[in-house]
Amino acid sequence: MAGFIKDLRDNGNALLIRVSVIAAIGGLLFGYDTGVISGALLYIKGDLHASSTAQEWIVSVLLLGAILGAAISAYSADLASRKWTKVASGAVYAIAAIGCALSVNVPMLIGFRFLLGLSVGTASFVSPMYVSEVSPPRLRGGLVSFNQLAVTSGILLSYLVDFAFANVPGTWRWMLGIAVLPGLALAIGMITVPHTPRWLAERGRDDEARDVLDRLRENDDETDVDGEYKDMEEAVESEKSSRVRDLFTPVMRPLLVVGVGLAFFQQFVGVNTVIYYAPTILQGTGLTKSGSIAQTVFVGVTNVVFTIVAVLLLDRVGRRKLLLIGTAGLTVALAVLGVYFWSPGLQHHASYLALIALMFYIASFAIGLGPVFWLMISEIFPTGIRSKAMALSTMVNWAANFIVASSFLTVTHWITREGTFFVYTGLAVVAFLFFAFRVPETRDRSLEDIQNDLVGDRRDTLQAANQN
Ligand code: BGC
């Protein structure tokens, strides 16, 4: 387990670690906003006289903004660079955080939450993209997953901030406004990091690309820098096209199925019903309001701890194995939650079972689907089309997030809580099968190698067809 840290210590260098950590602040913004609103809403409701519909909009408009943010940044990651897109994302985030904190009515708050969403959507895919393009293959899993660690830390931090400001005058304004700090940290931090070698090579700035790669691999005895540079140049050369319709060519299709499938299932196993509604679910077990909020913190801590385990294991055990183990685990947890809510006897005699199942669920998500989705979409697509393909996968992820989050309470109403968990169990089984049959191992392979494997046959067929 210590392999990743040891390798990073022996062969990583200060620049690589610094840029990976700064880029991962993007994940912190994402996580913080995911978590902060549930607590803040309790106070916004009264202060701004928000109806239930208004409250739903305050929560979900961020997800709509994120879908659009991902779409816009697909272009800006190519045109303006990964680096400057992230600087802009941090700056917009800081402005939107202040705007939210100073909102005097519901429409103003909804407007600034939308702006926040634009920034979160952007950060959510440019962060993994940036880190995957600066990392050597054997450290890529752990470094890209710093981002997921930042997401889960952001969620936990938001619970603690909600708790800290619950009795301070201004309550929700502080909870939302304090997010200006990570926004500024991201914007300022990103100004200090270099462009990725791949983006520079794509722009024909070869000398700079080589220079940055050399700096990133200084002290790294394990990487053949010449070989890495050559592979990158070749990949850039062969993948010059970058139009949206190239996403749907036969060569791209198998890659897109994996990316979009992971995006869809990451949300449709119900993770955010747990993140957003954990207190509500726990209250359903007979706990008081404050008791259920306190127990939610356990869920947040479990999420962070098991993401750390994932960071340490992804480059050793491999993505696929963790994905399958994690998905099997969360399927069992979902079935247990279904049975729990279905059986009055269990609810009466074993109310702790719900908390255990929730913690087991989140631990399983955290070692598998949580980090693996973001990691894989940064690995499987060819350079020339990467930003568009990652953006599409990210948009599907945010759209699925929006659908699941906005339908959970209604669906529970229709088919009962146990029914809802059984539906998620069924979806998790389908997810497991999809991963088992479709998702390749990407550990310790160059980005070029992975793509060749996924589309190799078709690429040859197409090239042969073109020559005839
Ligand atoms: C997901 C989020 C989720 C978070 C929970 C992320 O990978 O994309 O939707 O809230 O994990 O840890």
Side-chain angles (χ1 to χ4, degrees):
M1 192 186 270
F4 172 72
I5 295 181
K6 186 171 179 315
D7 196 349
L8 200 59
R9 213 179 38 220
D10 295 349
N11 296 305
N13 72 34
L15 178 64
L16 177 64
I17 298 171
R18 183 167 66 84
V19 303
S20 305
V21 170
I22 292 176
I25 300 174
L28 198 78
L29 311 183
F30 166 5
Y32 188 82
D33 277 301
T34 305
V36 78
I37 198 66
S38 54
L41 211 54
L42 298 175
Y43 304 93
I44 293 172
K45 233 181 345 199
D47 253 17
L48 297 185
H49 310 291
S51 64
S52 310
T53 320
Q55 289 175 48
E56 272 171 23
W57 273 105
I58 292 168
V59 175
S60 56
V61 76
L62 181 129
L63 303 174
L64 294 180
I67 301 174
L68 187 65
I72 296 173
S73 43
Y75 291 93
S76 76
D78 280 346
L79 293 178
S81 79
R82 293 47 165 148
K83 169 179 160 147
W84 289 111
T85 303
K86 279 179 69 68
V87 172
S89 153
V92 170
Y93 188 88
I95 294 167
I98 295 176
C100 285
L102 299 180
S103 289
V104 292
N105 54 33
V106 169
M108 187 171 167
L109 183 56
I110 291 179
F112 279 113
R113 290 270 301 164
F114 182 75
L115 198 62
L116 214 49
L118 286 181
S119 154
V120 168
T122 303
S124 70
F125 98 92
V126 191
S127 295
M129 172 183 234
Y130 181 93
V131 181
S132 75
E133 291 185 355
V134 295
S135 315
R138 50 171 220 295
L139 296 176
R140 195 175 51 226
L143 289 175
V144 175
S145 300
F146 274 3
N147 190 59
Q148 177 71 8
L149 186 57
V151 173
T152 55
S153 307
I155 295 174
L156 181 60
L157 187 69
S158 73
Y159 292 158
L160 299 176
V161 168
D162 278 1
F163 187 69
F165 286 103
N167 294 315
V168 174
T171 53
W172 64 272
R173 296 188 186 277
W174 287 108
M175 297 171 185
L176 300 185
I178 211 160
V180 72
L181 297 178
L184 286 180
L186 180 65
I188 296 169
M190 282 307 294
I191 293 175
T192 69
V193 307
H195 287 296
T196 69
R198 275 180 173 234
W199 182 81
L200 289 166
E202 244 173 82
R203 302 263 122 186
R205 291 160 63 174
D206 294 346
D207 292 346
E208 284 172 79
R210 178 68 210 222
D211 177 54
V212 174
L213 193 65
D214 283 341
R215 280 163 52 209
L216 287 165
R217 301 289 176 269
E218 213 176 293
N219 305 330
D220 184 345
D221 299 331
E222 302 259 322
T223 304
D224 160 21
V225 186
D226 288 334
E228 191 180 352
Y229 183 73
K230 196 164 146 278
D231 283 354
M232 188 185 74
E233 293 257 280
E234 278 169 13
V236 168
E237 209 36 55
S238 69
E239 314 284 357
K240 280 259 150 88
S241 70
S242 184
R243 287 157 306 177
V244 171
R245 76 181 136 98
D246 295 331
L247 278 175
F248 305 101
T249 56
V251 174
M252 276 297 291
R253 214 168 290 145
L255 304 179
L256 215 53
V257 167
V258 174
V260 168
L262 281 163
F264 176 87
F265 285 120
Q266 201 212 31
Q267 295 300 324
F268 270 87
V269 296
V271 61
N272 285 313
T273 60
V274 170
I275 301 284
Y276 302 151
Y277 297 104
T280 316
I281 295 172
L282 288 167
Q283 237 183 308
T285 70
L287 282 177
T288 61
K289 219 184 246 170
S290 57
S292 59
I293 291 177
Q295 292 204 352
T296 303
V297 175
F298 283 127
V299 177
V301 172
T302 309
N303 199 3
V304 173
V305 170
F306 280 85
T307 306
I308 296 175
V309 174
V311 166
L312 297 174
L313 289 184
L314 276 164
D315 288 315
R316 305 201 66 175
V317 176
R319 290 68 161 135
R320 216 182 110 82
K321 218 178 265 169
L322 286 176
L323 180 66
L324 292 175
I325 294 172
T327 309
L330 67 85
T331 310
V332 172
L334 285 167
V336 171
L337 281 168
V339 172
Y340 175 86
F341 284 112
W342 171 74
S343 153
L346 275 181
Q347 287 172 53
H348 197 68
H349 297 293
S351 60
Y352 55 86
L353 198 63
L355 179 64
I356 293 175
L358 279 182
M359 287 175 54
F360 188 62
Y361 173 92
I362 208 71
S364 307
F365 180 85
I367 59 155
L369 250 181
V372 170
F373 161 64
W374 296 105
L375 176 57
M376 283 226 170
I377 63 166
S378 75
E379 296 183 322
I380 58 174
F381 300 117
T383 308
I385 196 81
R386 172 167 311 144
S387 40
K388 299 209 168 38
M390 277 188 77
L392 182 68
S393 311
T394 308
M395 285 167 69
V396 170
N397 188 264
W398 284 110
N401 189 340
F402 175 74
I403 295 169
V404 173
S406 55
S407 65
F408 177 66
L409 291 181
T410 318
V411 174
T412 317
H413 202 67
W414 283 343
I415 58 169
T416 71
R417 188 162 291 185
E418 55 273 29
T420 314
F421 281 110
F422 286 135
V423 169
Y424 286 140
T425 311
L427 285 164
V429 171
V430 180
F432 182 89
L433 295 174
F434 174 82
F435 301 151
F437 289 108
R438 283 301 188 118
V439 175
E441 181 52 79
T442 53
R443 176 177 74 113
D444 205 7
R445 300 171 65 194
S446 73
L447 300 181
E448 289 65 40
D449 210 23
I450 298 165
Q451 291 138 22
N452 264 333
D453 193 30
L454 277 165
V455 299
D457 297 350
R458 292 179 196 229
R459 183 179 282 161
D460 294 347
T461 321
L462 272 193
Q463 273 168 0
N466 286 340
Q467 274 156 15
N468 287 334

